[in-house]
């Protein structure tokens, strides 16, 4: 684990994560970003947009996508990424990819391999933004996901579908049962990870991911195997952390040359 940063608000956390992204893009204008959906990363995209960087050469790979929504569905992750990330940040649409795009039926079986090949051809992900679900999932890697998994089709838990029903008029039956998601092994291949969480509903998942055992039962715990992770969380999401005081001290007392 590299760093756990406890911030005062999602806005502050968003600004911090945006500064990490800006640093990567300054060094490599065509950097490859791993893009998470959900409500958690929104303050990051907002802060990044305010920096008014030229992100036209940046390449992007979404973490996951639902299976079974009609093309153009406003809650498909392609639509969400276009609306919340590509447009506001001025990314080039053709450089931003979502798994399984345009595929259906039997063709979906090959979607994972095709996406992995695409990520490899881009030279791998430089910085992967991650949210975390209450089941401890990252991407859509639900409990039981192999820690070595690559992009593939998964079945969503009832819990995740209920959490995400808010995007589907509160109707869980409208939330797809299946998805295609980058695997935990795919995520580990990214050169750096930034995991974000806000609010008390995420406190248990954050504590299990950061301080619990590395286990497929808490897929996000796989981040402990990565060399370059920044966990950015607000006070409520940090509520279950045993070593919170230590993380605060380590962050505030960083030597200037480490900043
Ligand atoms: C969703 C997404 C994840 C996201 C998580 C948390 O189901 N597939 O990528 O991180 O659940 O969502 P939110 O940020 O809205 O709480």
């Amino acid at each position: 684990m590299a760093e756990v940063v406890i911030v005062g608000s999602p806005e502050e956390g968003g600004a911090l994560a945006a500064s990490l992204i800006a640093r990567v893009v300054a060094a490599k204008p065509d950097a490859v970003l791993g893009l998470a959906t959900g409500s958690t990363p929104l303050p990051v995209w907002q802060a990044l947009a305010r920096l008014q960087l030229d992100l036209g050469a940046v390449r992007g790979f979404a973490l996951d996508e639902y299976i079974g929504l009609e093309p153009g569905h406003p809650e498909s992750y392609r639509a969400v990424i276009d609306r919340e990330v590509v447009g506001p940040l001025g990314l080039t649409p053709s450089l931003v990819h979502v798994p399984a795009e345009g595929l259906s039926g039997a063709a979906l079986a090959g979607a994972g391999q095709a996406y992995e090949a695409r990520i490899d051809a881009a030279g791998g992900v430089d910085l992967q933004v991650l949210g975390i679900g209450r089941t401890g999932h990252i991407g859509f890697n639900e409990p039981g996901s192999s820690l070595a998994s690559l992009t593939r089709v998964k079945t969503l838990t009832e819990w995740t579908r209920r959490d995400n029903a808010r995007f589907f008029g509160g109707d869980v039956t409208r939330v797809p049962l299946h998805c295609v998601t980058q695997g935990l092994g795919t995520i580990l291949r990214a050169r750096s990870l930034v995991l974000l969480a806000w609010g008390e509903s995420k406190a248990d998942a954050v504590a299990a991911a950061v301080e619990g055992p590395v286990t497929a039962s808490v897929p996000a715990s796989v981040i402990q195997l990565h060399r370059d992770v920044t966990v950015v969380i607000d006070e409520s999401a940090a509520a279950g952390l045993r070593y919170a005081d230590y993380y605060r001290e380590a962050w505030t007392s960083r030597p200037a040359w480490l900043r």
Side-chain angles (χ1 to χ4, degrees):
M1 184 69 59
E3 201 85 60
V4 178
V5 188
I6 302 170
V7 294
S9 66
E11 291 67 35
E12 193 187 322
L16 173 63
S19 72
L20 297 176
I21 295 171
R23 195 185 299 179
V24 168
V25 175
K28 182 180 176 186
D30 65 344
V32 179
L33 297 182
L35 304 169
T37 48
S39 37
T40 305
L42 292 177
V44 182
W45 314 137
Q46 285 155 7
L48 198 52
R50 276 196 296 275
L51 295 178
Q52 296 194 310
L53 305 175
D54 178 0
L55 301 176
V58 164
R59 294 162 293 162
F61 286 88
L63 268 176
D64 44 16
E65 177 60 290
Y66 292 111
I67 290 177
L69 296 178
E70 66 271 20
H73 189 291
E75 293 308 329
S76 69
Y77 283 170
R78 161 51 80 187
V80 171
I81 291 274
D82 283 350
R83 187 167 68 231
E84 293 172 353
V85 188
V86 175
L89 297 184
L91 301 187
T92 302
S94 60
L95 299 181
V96 178
H97 308 287
V98 173
E101 196 147 38
L103 301 181
S104 60
L108 283 164
Q113 230 180 334
Y115 203 59
E116 292 289 331
R118 216 161 195 183
I119 294 173
D120 286 347
V125 172
D126 291 301
L127 185 150
Q128 175 67 58
V129 176
L130 296 167
I132 183 170
R134 290 197 299 152
T135 61
H137 70 246
I138 48 177
F140 267 141
N141 294 281
E142 297 283 28
S145 293
S146 160
L147 300 179
S149 51
L150 300 178
T151 307
R152 71 240 182 270
V153 173
K154 285 292 285 181
T155 308
L156 296 176
T157 59
E158 175 78 13
W159 200 2
T160 295
R161 292 175 70 225
R162 287 196 182 283
D163 278 351
N164 288 3
R166 68 190 193 279
F167 299 114
F168 293 84
D171 181 357
V172 70
T173 65
R174 287 169 53 202
V175 183
L177 182 57
H178 294 105
C179 63
V180 178
T181 181
Q182 286 189 30
L184 298 173
T186 317
I187 291 167
L188 282 184
R189 288 177 183 172
R191 281 180 274 279
S192 59
L193 306 179
V194 178
L195 184 141
L196 311 155
W198 329 123
E200 61 182 345
S201 70
K202 299 292 176 71
D204 289 347
V206 167
V210 172
E211 296 182 341
V214 174
T215 166
S217 297
V218 182
S221 65
V222 80
I223 67 169
Q224 295 178 39
L225 298 174
H226 198 286
R227 271 180 290 246
D228 185 352
V229 186
T230 309
V231 175
V232 183
I233 50 183
D234 67 4
E235 292 286 349
S236 318
L241 290 175
R242 187 170 170 199
Y243 297 109
D245 287 343
Y246 168 64
Y247 306 137
R248 284 192 191 92
E249 186 177 19
W251 180 250
T252 53
S253 66
R254 270 171 317 149
W257 46 268
L258 257 186
R259 291 177 194 198

